[in-house]
């Protein structure tokens, strides 16, 4: 190689290196600016298949790390306490209101999410994000009743009403075998629905009625519980639980796999229930919005999305996933409710600071009684 060519080669190489170091300076979407090749996900526990994660890691040649929360209050509290660096969160609608109002989220670049077309339009244009500037539907769950079919039918107790966790005449037969969610909004919503009110009713008098109902029932409950009720139902220690449809699905699967002499069923109470739509959103503190967009688009592919439902029993707003979901899950009305049942479901809405303070006082009274 001639000296002039060699000099030209190294000049071009130097220019290329300098351009690579400076191009896109200040842009949050440029991987070259990022600290490492890691997508940081803050998610509900057991809300994605490890196989799905590994497949994404292979595709993007990156790593995915996850931290977990058990309800939206915990998510918001951890972020308020200074938790940062998460690229993706999976909050529910009422938490979305708060995050958007706080300016905590990064707007989506929809040009990087072509698979958004797979989402059922009925799950887009939500009240909390009408233009889907920040959120992409991930999965949905219903807060309902799970129960040991043999024990409860043997006792002749109703399985289609919130009455089974609130009325002493039923609770006295299953005392110590019942748990309710350790969640202010979810438990209050169940009580409000049983009393004939909206799940997101904010009338203080109605909240006080719900508090009285809860305090009356509390002595019969074994615990306020967000996670271990899955195992306790599956092994037979619990006979009734107030919880999430995907958790009840897991309990039913576990009881079946271990050959228990009973089965776990779950139903939407006739009074109605809470529908939770979990969405993928980008947090402003994240370092890899490029990977976050790739992950969102990856999870919107039909087979990947279906894998979530087949694993967890979550509802699914992705139309392209439906052909890949196990038929027995599609046929379960507590996971995919028909139009009549769907009409009795409500999404929780955000509450203001004054209402939060009142709810906190009510919750403290409930816990101390």
């Amino acid at each position: 190689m001639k000296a002039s060519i060699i000099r030209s080669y190294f000049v071009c190489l130097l220019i290329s290196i300098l351009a690579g170091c400076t191009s896109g300076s200040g842009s949050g979407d440029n991987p070259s600016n990022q600290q490492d090749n890691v997508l940081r996900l803050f998610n509900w526990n057991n809300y994605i298949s490890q196989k799905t994660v590994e497949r994404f890691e292979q595709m993007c040649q990156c790593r995915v790390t996850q931290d977990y929360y058990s309800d939206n209050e915990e998510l918001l509290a951890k972020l308020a306490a200074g938790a940062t660096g998460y690229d993706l969160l999976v909050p529910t609608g009422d938490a979305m209101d708060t995050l958007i109002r706080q300016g905590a989220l990064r707007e989506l670049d929809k040009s990087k999410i072509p698979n958004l077309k797979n989402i059922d339009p009925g799950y887009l244009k939500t009240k909390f994000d009408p233009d889907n500037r920040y959120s992409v539907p991930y999965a949905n769950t219903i807060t309902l009743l799970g129960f040991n079919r043999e024990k409860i039918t043997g006792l002749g107790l109703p399985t289609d009403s919130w009455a089974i966790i609130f009325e002493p005449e039923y609770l006295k037969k299953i005392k110590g075998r019942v748990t309710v969610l350790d969640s202010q909004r979810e438990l209050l919503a169940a009580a409000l629905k049983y009393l004939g009110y909206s799940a997101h009713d904010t009338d203080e008098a109605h909240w006080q009625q719900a508090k009285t109902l809860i305090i009356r029932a509390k002595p019969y409950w074994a615990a306020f519980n967000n996670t271990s009720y899955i195992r306790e139902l599956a092994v037979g220690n619990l006979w009734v639980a107030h919880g999430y449809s995907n958790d009840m699905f897991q309990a039913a699967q576990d009881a079946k796999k271990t050959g228990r002499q009973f089965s776990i069923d779950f139903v939407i109470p006739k009074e109605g229930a809470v529908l939770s739509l979990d969405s993928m959103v980008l947090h402003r503190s994240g370092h890899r919005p490029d990977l976050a967009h790739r992950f969102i688009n990856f999870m919107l592919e039909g087979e990947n999305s279906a894998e979530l439902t087949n694993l967890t029993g979550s509802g699914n707003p992705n139309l392209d996933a439906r052909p890949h979901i196990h038929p027995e899950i599609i046929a379960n009305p507590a996971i995919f409710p028909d139009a009549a049942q769907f009409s009795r479901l409500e999404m929780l809405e955000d509450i203001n600071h004054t209402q939060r303070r009142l709810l906190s006082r009510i919750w403290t009274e409930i816990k101390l009684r």
Side-chain angles (χ1 to χ4, degrees), residues 250-271:
Q250 187 64 56
Q253 294 298 302
D254 290 348
K256 185 176 181 178
K257 288 176 184 176
T258 53
R260 302 289 173 178
Q261 299 302 304
F262 57 82
S263 52
I264 303 300
D265 280 353
F266 47 107
V267 299
I268 300 171
K270 62 185 178 183
E271 299 89 358

Side-chain angles (χ1 to χ4, degrees), residues 28 34 36-42 63-65 84-90 105-106 280-293 295-296:
Q34 311 306 338
D36 47 36
N37 205 31
V38 177
L39 175 72
R40 293 176 172 84
L41 176 61
F42 199 16
R63 286 193 302 118
V64 177
T65 64
T84 59
Y86 293 113
D87 301 298
L88 270 176
L89 314 175
V90 192
L105 303 181
R106 189 191 300 262
M280 295 177 281
V281 301
L282 278 64
H283 197 253
R284 279 199 175 276
S285 71
H287 300 296
R288 297 302 304 267
D290 60 307
L291 287 181
H293 279 93
F295 182 83
I296 291 172

Side-chain angles (χ1 to χ4, degrees), residues 2-274:
K2 295 182 178 180
S4 59
I5 297 177
I6 294 174
R7 282 196 298 273
S8 298
Y9 171 80
F10 281 110
V11 168
C12 290
L13 180 62
L14 178 60
I15 291 171
S16 176
I17 292 171
L18 290 174
C21 292
T22 58
S23 66
S25 178
S27 170
D29 286 324
N30 193 333
S32 66
N33 293 328
Q34 311 306 338
Q35 297 174 342
D36 47 36
N37 205 31
V38 177
L39 175 72
R40 293 176 172 84
L41 176 61
F42 199 16
N43 199 1
W44 299 83
N45 190 37
N46 193 36
Y47 214 25
I48 185 170
S49 163
Q50 183 57 35
K51 290 181 180 179
T52 308
V53 170
E54 291 170 359
R55 203 158 54 246
F56 177 73
E57 289 176 327
Q58 291 171 1
M59 184 195 78
C60 72
Q61 293 298 294
C62 65
R63 286 193 302 118
V64 177
T65 64
Q66 294 190 73
D67 287 334
Y68 306 100
Y69 49 90
S70 59
D71 65 14
N72 283 296
E73 287 83 2
E74 182 181 352
L75 163 68
L76 295 174
K78 286 185 175 180
L79 294 176
T84 59
Y86 293 113
D87 301 298
L88 270 176
L89 314 175
V90 192
T92 309
D94 53 320
M96 278 290 304
D97 282 319
T98 301
L99 293 167
I100 292 173
R101 190 177 64 251
Q102 292 174 343
L105 303 181
R106 189 191 300 262
E107 286 196 30
L108 297 167
D109 182 347
K110 294 179 185 176
S111 69
K112 298 179 179 179
I113 317 174
N115 288 330
L116 191 60
K117 68 181 187 301
N118 294 337
I119 296 296
D120 183 340
Y123 288 91
L124 298 172
K125 301 183 183 301
T126 56
K127 188 171 182 179
F128 56 80
D129 187 16
D131 297 317
N132 288 96
R133 292 171 59 194
Y134 304 99
S135 63
V136 174
Y138 178 73
N140 58 275
T141 59
I142 301 169
T143 312
L144 38 62
L145 291 168
F147 56 94
N148 183 310
R149 181 197 299 165
E150 285 69 25
K151 291 290 185 181
I152 298 307
T153 56
L155 291 170
L157 299 179
T159 59
D160 64 343
S161 171
W162 290 117
I164 196 171
I165 67 167
F166 290 126
E167 291 297 341
E169 66 175 295
Y170 302 130
L171 286 167
K172 64 185 180 182
K173 298 182 180 181
I174 51 176
K175 184 176 182 180
R177 303 283 191 169
V178 183
T179 64
V180 296
L181 288 172
D182 191 8
S183 170
Q184 303 172 14
R185 296 297 308 276
E186 290 283 12
L187 185 56
L188 193 74
L192 288 169
K193 292 299 289 183
Y194 181 59
L195 291 168
Y197 304 126
S198 167
H200 48 76
D201 190 323
T202 56
D203 186 304
E204 182 176 352
H206 297 167
W207 281 15
Q208 294 296 341
Q209 289 178 42
K211 180 191 75 174
T212 299
L213 182 71
I214 291 168
I215 289 173
R216 185 182 69 172
K218 183 185 171 185
Y220 298 93
W221 298 338
F224 294 83
N225 189 299
N226 282 350
T227 53
S228 65
Y229 69 85
I230 304 172
R231 182 180 63 83
E232 297 298 321
L233 272 173
V235 300
N237 292 337
L238 286 180
W239 296 348
V240 177
H242 162 233
Y244 302 112
S245 52
N246 56 320
D247 287 345
M248 303 307 180
F249 172 84
Q250 187 64 56
Q253 294 298 302
D254 290 348
K256 185 176 181 178
K257 288 176 184 176
T258 53
R260 302 289 173 178
Q261 299 302 304
F262 57 82
S263 52
I264 303 300
D265 280 353
F266 47 107
V267 299
I268 300 171
K270 62 185 178 183
E271 299 89 358
V274 169

